[in-house]
Amino acid sequence: MTNPTPTVVLVHGAFADAASWAGVIADLKRDGIPVIAPPNPLRGLAADSAYVASLVAQIDGPVVLAGHSYGGALITVAGAAENVVGLVYVAAYVLEEGESLGELQGRFPASPLVSNLKQWTYPVADGEPAVEVTIAEDAFPAIFAADVPAETTSVLAVAQRPLAAGAFEEKATAAAWRTTPSWAVIAGADQAINPEVERFGASRAGATVVEVDGASHAIAVSRPKEVAEVIRTAVRAAG
């Protein structure tokens, strides 16, 4: 008896939404692979990973988690769920247990993203308003999606979903890659996350690495076939 085909859960990162996976979703569905691309709340590492873990727990059968950018930090924690059989990091942060995004980034020179963040505030139930960040609209194309057509990046820049600034300081409570096979797609020309951050995290996790030369941070948008192929490899390995 063969194992059921794992469901792929695609977790987007900051400054984007689930539509950023559109090309990847289409490619996987052509192969009959079940896919879910949920909204990422982008409110903080603990809350967001708990949301993803809750979704995963409600899926019958095995799951392959794929996370882009900040979504990589979430699958590192949420991937501890029993039915997760593979992790795919796409231009992503790969945290160690007890490590924050800020600590991982701090090991390497800052990317241009850091000096091009715009701060906003939003209300919370108790206390003072909290801070969230987006990428400055004029800097967005070069930093996030340099290899995506200009008419597309102009839309992506104004449709950004902000990330709570506190997410950079929260520490991962688990590192699922210690017990679950992992793969990583490195965006060779990433200007949002220093590619060395991606390479370091992937190497530390013992991930199977595919590097795409010239790819921007928006690699799932600009190179969906390459990203889908790595996810497909994870699905085949698990199934």
Side-chain angles (χ1 to χ4, degrees):
M1 181 178 178
T2 58
N3 293 325
T5 300
T7 297
V8 173
V9 176
L10 301 169
V11 181
H12 69 81
F15 322 125
D17 60 24
S20 61
W21 293 109
V24 176
I25 292 168
D27 199 291
L28 294 174
K29 287 181 74 67
R30 276 194 292 270
D31 273 356
I33 297 172
V35 185
I36 298 175
N40 178 351
L42 300 175
R43 296 297 81 175
L45 183 55
D48 297 341
S49 57
Y51 177 83
V52 174
S54 174
L55 174 71
V56 168
Q58 297 174 68
I59 296 173
D60 291 331
V63 168
V64 169
L65 278 173
H68 173 247
S69 189
Y70 167 66
L74 303 189
I75 70 170
T76 295
V77 178
E82 289 185 4
N83 59 330
V84 174
V85 294
L87 304 167
V88 182
Y89 294 95
V90 181
Y93 295 105
V94 188
L95 296 180
E96 174 61 282
E97 184 175 354
E99 183 177 53
S100 70
L101 295 174
E103 288 168 342
L104 175 56
Q105 287 192 137
R107 294 171 176 264
F108 301 93
S111 73
L113 171 73
V114 176
S115 59
N116 285 282
L117 290 175
K118 182 176 181 179
Q119 291 193 353
W120 308 77
T121 60
Y122 64 97
V124 294
D126 300 306
E128 296 297 316
V131 175
E132 61 185 12
V133 292
T134 58
I135 302 172
E137 187 177 335
D138 60 347
F140 184 93
I143 289 174
F144 198 89
D147 57 350
V148 176
E151 66 248 27
T152 301
T153 58
S154 66
V155 173
L156 296 177
V158 300
Q160 292 180 64
R161 291 192 55 213
L163 174 66
F168 291 100
E169 304 307 321
E170 290 187 52
K171 296 181 185 294
T173 56
W177 47 260
R178 289 195 169 277
T179 55
T180 304
S182 61
W183 289 258
V185 184
I186 310 300
D190 202 329
Q191 297 295 302
I193 301 177
N194 184 334
E196 288 301 324
V197 173
E198 300 171 22
R199 295 183 188 110
F200 172 81
S203 175
R204 181 172 61 180
T208 300
V209 175
V210 173
E211 181 149 348
V212 183
D213 293 337
S216 74
H217 191 62
I219 187 171
V221 178
S222 63
R223 311 289 184 92
K225 291 187 179 299
E226 287 94 326
V227 173
E229 181 56 32
V230 177
I231 296 172
R232 193 180 292 110
T233 299
V235 168
R236 288 171 180 155

